[in-house]
Amino acid sequence: MDRFQFCAGLLGSAALAVLPTPALPQAAPPRLLDTPGAIDLAGRMRMLSQRCTKAYLQWGQAIATDSARAQLQDSIRSCDAHLAALRTFQPNPAVQAGLPQLQTLWVQLKALLADEPSRTGAVALYDANETLQSAAHYLTVSYSNGTSNQLEHLIGLAGRQRMLSQRMAKFFFYRCWGLFEAPADMEMHLSRAHFTTVLGQFETSRHVSSAAQAAAAKTRQVWEPYQQALFASKDPTDMRTHAERVAAGSEQVLAATEELVALLVAQAQGRPV
């Protein structure tokens, strides 16, 4: 994956927010998708690429094994369902080109996830899940291209927050397994910086409802102990002592960011929030 493009994309989306700004509950796609709903589902594919890998790594290291296995199965079902829903709404050529690519990459990643978790499998997943995340990001942006609706851009930005919640845990568990330690540490710190910056923007944005601002404040409450567990140590052996806290915290922050996204989608669709 092109790290510069990923980081630049994060910063570019963050700038938009300041303009004059336990199974995981399933996003319930409307019977007929619209642009806010499609941005939500495509954005969830970014998150699920990270959550699938996080759960695989947990399971392989016997960290909260039952929960990890359930999360992996839930995430696989969600990816299949979201892709099926997205195929019903392809409003522009970029989406029409990006969706088949995403489908192909998901089939490849799903095959890797089907094997019993192992260090060898974790190595194979490292690039595969990043490639899927990049394709899902491209599709999310493709759905929002051509729109001047600030809320639709903010849905994508908030959706990236839920992806980052899983991304940090994923790289934490790579480090616990002694794999890709230097790049994983770098990615954890980059993700924390972006998550913290964007969270502050949502807490003060004038473009979102008071309910969404309250959801951002709720996210802050679970984010603080989560990041403390994530960055309590740099030694892989010591990190294992915080592993279950990280696993639980990643799901708590994910649930809070899911609530924020749902409120923004409702606001963009003109539904009561």
Side-chain angles (χ1 to χ4, degrees):
M1 173 186 179
D2 188 328
R3 304 295 185 204
F4 177 80
Q5 287 183 343
F6 173 73
C7 296
L10 284 171
L11 292 171
S13 294
L16 292 170
V18 297
L19 292 175
T21 189
L24 178 67
Q26 297 297 303
R31 299 183 73 87
L32 292 176
L33 272 181
D34 56 7
T35 299
I39 294 170
D40 177 26
L41 289 189
R44 287 191 98 242
M45 290 296 296
R46 293 182 300 195
M47 177 274 290
L48 290 166
S49 72
Q50 308 299 289
R51 190 173 186 244
C52 284
T53 309
K54 177 202 77 171
Y56 179 100
L57 296 170
Q58 275 185 240
W59 183 3
Q61 296 174 78
I63 299 166
T65 304
D66 290 344
S67 176
R69 192 178 323 79
Q71 287 174 27
L72 180 56
Q73 294 169 350
D74 173 67
S75 297
I76 290 171
R77 286 193 299 267
S78 295
C79 282
D80 287 336
H82 293 353
L83 282 166
L86 289 168
R87 284 195 292 270
T88 69
F89 184 62
Q90 301 183 46
N92 60 56
V95 169
Q96 293 160 14
L99 193 51
Q101 180 187 20
L102 183 62
Q103 176 72 51
T104 297
L105 292 170
W106 166 237
V107 170
Q108 294 170 357
L109 183 68
K110 188 176 178 181
L112 294 174
L113 296 169
D115 293 333
E116 190 76 15
S118 66
R119 283 175 62 90
T120 300
V123 170
L125 280 173
Y126 190 84
D127 286 333
N129 89 92
E130 290 290 273
T131 304
L132 181 66
Q133 194 279 140
S134 294
H137 177 67
Y138 173 83
L139 187 67
T140 305
V141 173
S142 296
Y143 274 111
S144 62
N145 275 351
T147 178
S148 59
N149 188 318
Q150 180 67 14
L151 279 171
E152 291 176 0
H153 288 291
L154 292 175
I155 291 167
L157 188 60
R160 188 171 281 154
Q161 291 288 87
R162 62 189 171 192
M163 182 276 288
L164 291 172
S165 76
Q166 303 302 288
R167 186 175 181 82
M168 285 180 276
K170 179 194 77 174
F171 284 119
F172 178 94
F173 291 124
Y174 267 117
R175 293 205 60 218
C176 283
W177 221 344
L179 295 170
F180 307 103
E181 290 189 56
D185 182 65
M186 178 192 72
E187 294 286 359
M188 285 175 64
H189 282 83
L190 282 172
S191 296
R192 175 171 67 171
H194 289 302
F195 189 95
T196 303
T197 298
V198 173
L199 179 59
Q201 292 171 358
F202 274 109
E203 287 173 319
T204 59
S205 173
R206 293 178 294 175
H207 298 280
V208 304
S209 67
S210 58
Q213 285 186 336
K218 181 179 177 181
T219 301
R220 172 79 64 182
Q221 293 174 359
V222 290
W223 162 240
E224 294 300 340
Y226 176 44
Q227 70 165 327
Q228 289 171 13
L230 281 166
F231 296 96
S233 174
K234 286 196 171 188
D235 178 73
T237 301
D238 290 342
M239 290 172 72
R240 283 296 298 258
T241 66
H242 303 284
E244 291 201 7
R245 287 173 56 207
V246 168
S250 71
E251 290 297 295
Q252 291 167 351
V253 174
L254 175 58
T257 52
E258 286 280 26
E259 180 180 348
L260 173 60
V261 175
L263 288 166
L264 292 170
V265 171
Q267 185 179 351
Q269 292 172 335
R271 294 186 282 115
V273 295

